[in-house]
Amino acid sequence: MIGKRILLIPPERQNKFDTINNLEDLQQSIMVAGLGMNWYDIDVWKMNQLPVHVEDGEWRTLYSKISSDGEVNYFPRGMTEIVNEAEQNDHLAIEQRLMLVYDNDFNFYLSESADGYQMAIEKTLQRAKASGFMGTLIENIGNTP
């Protein structure tokens, strides 16, 4: 889910984002993403030729830099982060149409004493994916009270 990015934006820019339907549209928009220094996302944005502002130091200062016409126009956040961050920053809104998706898996590490759980975890995750349950969970993130 962390590789599924949803954007925090100035609410008055939703109409601009409504015109973006693919990567090429986002590239041509010349809008700038804000990312923290040393985040792996920087490479993704640069490889896709998307303008990026890299915040050196405290990345949370990006919230106050996001504006319609300033140096940062949107802040891509993971699905697990976006709702809480939008609630804490009432001057920003969750972009309503777009999701930027790239592979970024989490790795689970088990201690030697928990090594016996590896197969059970793998099988459960594989079943959840094959049955569609994992997809349903991902689609419904943020829809719960």
Side-chain angles (χ1 to χ4, degrees), residues 8-24:
L8 276 177
I9 64 169
E12 65 274 9
R13 289 298 258 178
Q14 182 62 55
N15 62 344
K16 176 69 174 170
F17 283 94
D18 287 344
T19 67
I20 296 172
N21 296 304
N22 54 43
L23 178 59
E24 185 178 339

Side-chain angles (χ1 to χ4, degrees), residues 8-55:
L8 276 177
I9 64 169
E12 65 274 9
R13 289 298 258 178
Q14 182 62 55
N15 62 344
K16 176 69 174 170
F17 283 94
D18 287 344
T19 67
I20 296 172
N21 296 304
N22 54 43
L23 178 59
E24 185 178 339
D25 291 345
L26 186 56
Q27 291 165 331
Q28 292 176 359
S29 76
I30 312 174
M31 288 191 286
V32 179
L35 298 171
M37 178 68 79
N38 298 320
W39 289 6
Y40 60 88
D41 308 75
I42 295 168
D43 292 336
V44 174
W45 258 251
K46 287 183 177 180
M47 270 194 310
N48 287 286
Q49 301 171 345
L50 294 168
V52 63
H53 165 87
V54 177
E55 188 66 25

Side-chain angles (χ1 to χ4, degrees), residues 93-104:
I94 297 172
E95 198 287 324
Q96 298 298 304
R97 298 180 49 252
L98 302 173
M99 179 185 299
L100 307 178
V101 180
Y102 50 90
D103 289 334
N104 186 26

Side-chain angles (χ1 to χ4, degrees), residues 40-126:
Y40 60 88
D41 308 75
I42 295 168
D43 292 336
V44 174
W45 258 251
K46 287 183 177 180
M47 270 194 310
N48 287 286
Q49 301 171 345
L50 294 168
V52 63
H53 165 87
V54 177
E55 188 66 25
D56 192 8
E58 177 53 56
W59 64 267
R60 289 174 188 85
T61 59
L62 286 168
Y63 297 123
S64 62
K65 291 186 176 184
I66 300 169
S67 67
S68 293
D69 54 4
E71 61 187 317
V72 180
N73 308 120
Y74 66 97
F75 190 9
R77 306 304 293 145
M79 288 181 67
T80 59
E81 304 162 322
I82 191 82
V83 173
N84 287 338
E85 292 180 21
E87 289 172 353
Q88 294 171 5
N89 295 280
D90 59 1
H91 66 290
L92 300 174
I94 297 172
E95 198 287 324
Q96 298 298 304
R97 298 180 49 252
L98 302 173
M99 179 185 299
L100 307 178
V101 180
Y102 50 90
D103 289 334
N104 186 26
D105 295 329
F106 280 106
N107 293 310
F108 290 91
Y109 296 93
L110 301 174
S111 67
E112 288 181 23
S113 63
D115 191 40
Y117 295 107
Q118 178 183 350
M119 287 301 266
I121 292 171
E122 283 182 28
K123 285 181 181 179
T124 302
L125 289 172
Q126 289 170 355

